[in-house]
Amino acid sequence: MRKIRTFAVIAFFALNSQFVAAQVKYPTNKIEMIGVCTKFMETFKNEKFSEAFDLLKPYSVIEDYKLDTLAKTAKDQMASLSSSYGKIISYEELSEKDIKGSLVQIIYLLKFQQAFLKFTFILYNNDSGWTITNFKYNDEIDDLFTPAPNSSN
C-alpha cells in the first residue's frame, strides 16, 4: 500500500502545476462533469486504463502528456497490486461535496476482492464552465470517517 501513497503524492504535485487551458472544454453543467468522472471510473474498473485517462483530457487542465504518464503508471500499479488486492470488482460514489458552486470534490471507492482504493476528483467552476483540476487515488480513508464541517451551498 506504500506504493499507492507514494504515487498519490507524486500525482498530486504533478497535477497541481500550472496548465495550458486552451484545449479544455468548460461544460456549464456540473452534471456533465460528474458524468465524465463516473465514466472514468467505469472504464478504469474494466481495466481500460489508457482509455479512462483519455476521457479526462478534453475536460481537464491537466496536460495530456501528464495524463498519459499517469495512465501508464496506473496500469503498472494495478498489475502489481492484483496479487495482493485481487481483481477489481466494482466502484461506488462515496461522496460529493460542493463549496458554493465553485468547487466540487467527488470521492469514489474502487473495490477489489481483498482491498480498495479511494479516487478523488476536484472540479472547478470558473464562472464560464467546469473543469477537472485535480485527480488522485490512494488507499487512505481516514478522512471519510471524519464528520464534514457544516458548509453552505
Side-chain angles (χ1 to χ4, degrees), residues 21 24 26-28 61 101-103 123-131:
V24 178
Y26 291 101
T28 56
V61 295
S102 293
L103 286 174
L123 311 179
Y124 171 63
N125 181 1
N126 66 6
D127 293 331
S128 297
W130 289 90
T131 186

Side-chain angles (χ1 to χ4, degrees), residues 51-136:
E51 187 178 321
F53 283 92
D54 285 345
L55 289 168
L56 300 182
K57 289 179 181 178
Y59 299 97
S60 177
V61 295
I62 303 164
E63 294 156 318
D64 288 357
Y65 78 91
K66 289 181 181 180
L67 289 171
D68 292 340
T69 300
L70 290 172
K72 182 181 179 334
T73 301
K75 180 180 178 181
D76 294 345
Q77 285 181 331
M78 294 306 122
S80 69
L81 287 176
S82 65
S83 63
S84 56
Y85 280 31
K87 184 176 171 76
I88 298 171
I89 53 175
S90 66
Y91 72 92
E92 68 177 289
E93 183 179 324
L94 296 182
S95 69
E96 178 184 324
K97 297 176 186 171
D98 189 307
I99 301 175
K100 296 188 178 192
S102 293
L103 286 174
V104 173
Q105 176 190 61
I106 304 170
I107 297 176
Y108 294 89
L109 190 68
L110 184 66
K111 299 177 180 182
F112 294 78
Q113 291 169 316
Q114 286 91 16
F116 60 86
L117 288 175
K118 176 181 78 172
F119 283 67
T120 304
F121 294 85
I122 303 295
L123 311 179
Y124 171 63
N125 181 1
N126 66 6
D127 293 331
S128 297
W130 289 90
T131 186
I132 299 168
T133 59
N134 186 288
F135 163 84
K136 65 181 176 177

Side-chain angles (χ1 to χ4, degrees), residues 138-151:
N138 58 41
D139 58 0
E140 299 172 8
I141 60 166
D142 289 342
D143 60 329
L144 297 176
F145 294 101
T146 306
N150 292 337
S151 64

Side-chain angles (χ1 to χ4, degrees), residues 8-19 61-62 66 122 133-136:
V9 171
I10 292 168
F12 179 77
F13 287 112
L15 301 180
N16 278 322
S17 60
Q18 295 297 335
F19 308 107
V61 295
I62 303 164
K66 289 181 181 180
I122 303 295
T133 59
N134 186 288
F135 163 84
K136 65 181 176 177

